[in-house]
Amino acid sequence: AQSVTQPDIHITVSEGASLELRCNYSYGATPYLFWYVQSPGQGLQLLLKYFSGDTLVQGIKGFEAEFKRSQSSFNLRKPSVHWSDAAEYFCAVGADTGRRALTFGSGTRLQVQP
Amino acid sequence: GAGVSQSPSNKVTEKGKDVELRCDPISGHTALYWYRQSLGQGLEFLIYFQGNSAPDKSGLPSDRFSAERTGGSVSTLTIQRTQQEDSAVYLCASSRQGGGNEQYFGPGTRLTVT
């Protein structure tokens, strides 16, 4: 069965500092991987996705993520965090055939200090 | 263009009543998903529709939950005889066929069962 682990429930960083949110997955084949962001009271917004090819993917709002098959990881990074990045971040794994439902991690809540 | 819309945005109901939640997917998206987000369980898949195929109902938690999709577009999630544990945010998402399962989420319906 597929699963996603986000080890950090809550992270606090200072504005302007770099950020890395961890994500580890378990999946039987080559996964489709996603990062979503959720602001309070809002739905999920897709930040970026990995399907195949280049293991470093760029997303919106200056985020990037690196797929590392050997470590079963897909960590999200941003070189300089802005106060508006405070939100909850979800990593998800899925497929494009068969059972297409996404499996989500439990989320990491990001707090940004001025 | 227009995103996924959901209605109502908030719903308060008494235990034992039936509720209907509506989702209007992005035009042209053939796949539609329902997820539930609750404090204790995180983000859980409920049901998936793809075109005219039989829906994947494997995530529905009980037979009190059902969903239909009319005309390949709008979907309604129905919860009968609501219980307090049904209180959650119900999220709808849609994706296009061949789109690598990139799912776009609506703002959700917050259901409170009193």
Side-chain angles (χ1 to χ4, degrees):
Chain A
Q2 58 200 50
S3 65
V4 177
T5 302
Q6 292 181 248
D8 304 305
I9 296 172
H10 187 212
I11 282 182
T12 300
V13 299
S14 298
E15 190 169 16
S18 64
L19 171 71
E20 182 168 28
L21 302 182
R22 295 183 291 166
C23 172
N24 291 95
Y25 67 90
S26 173
Y27 195 74
T30 301
Y32 284 50
L33 293 160
F34 307 85
W35 275 99
Y36 285 86
V37 61
Q38 186 177 36
S39 298
Q42 304 295 313
L44 298 169
Q45 182 182 21
L46 179 65
L47 283 176
L48 48 75
K49 59 188 183 290
Y50 171 79
F51 296 154
S52 65
D54 194 348
T55 56
L56 184 64
V57 293
Q58 302 296 321
I60 62 171
K61 304 184 179 186
F63 285 92
E64 65 178 27
E66 186 171 12
F67 171 61
K68 293 186 178 180
R69 183 187 302 274
S70 62
Q71 299 177 18
S72 296
S73 70
F74 187 58
N75 293 349
L76 183 71
R77 302 194 295 248
K78 186 169 186 178
S80 178
V81 171
H82 188 262
W83 64 266
S84 60
D85 293 324
E88 188 146 24
Y89 292 79
F90 292 92
C91 183
V93 66
D96 197 30
T97 58
R99 190 170 189 274
R100 291 166 55 99
L102 295 180
T103 298
F104 287 87
S106 54
T108 297
R109 181 163 297 280
L110 173 66
Q111 187 173 353
V112 180
Q113 288 182 333
Chain B
V4 177
S5 61
Q6 293 186 245
S7 61
S9 54
N10 281 283
K11 176 72 176 178
V12 180
T13 190
E14 292 180 351
K15 177 182 172 181
K17 300 281 190 182
D18 297 352
V19 295
E20 285 189 351
L21 313 179
R22 175 189 168 107
C23 172
D24 207 334
I26 292 172
S27 178
H29 280 195
T30 57
L32 186 148
Y33 311 77
W34 284 98
Y35 294 87
R36 178 169 71 174
Q37 185 175 27
S38 57
L39 281 177
Q41 301 299 321
L43 274 154
E44 305 171 279
F45 163 73
L46 295 177
I47 187 168
Y48 156 59
F49 296 90
Q50 173 62 59
N52 295 321
S53 302
D56 176 355
K57 304 179 183 179
S58 59
L60 294 178
S62 79
D63 58 8
R64 296 186 296 105
F65 288 72
S66 64
E68 63 177 20
R69 189 178 184 192
T70 54
S73 181
V74 172
S75 177
T76 302
L77 177 70
T78 301
I79 309 173
Q80 295 178 310
R81 306 181 303 281
T82 51
Q83 304 294 312
Q84 287 188 330
E85 61 263 28
D86 299 334
S87 296
V89 176
Y90 289 82
L91 293 165
C92 177
S94 70
S95 68
R96 61 183 177 86
Q97 191 168 5
N101 203 7
E102 194 171 311
Q103 297 182 21
Y104 294 89
F105 283 79
T109 294
R110 179 174 296 278
L111 175 66
T112 303
V113 182
T114 61

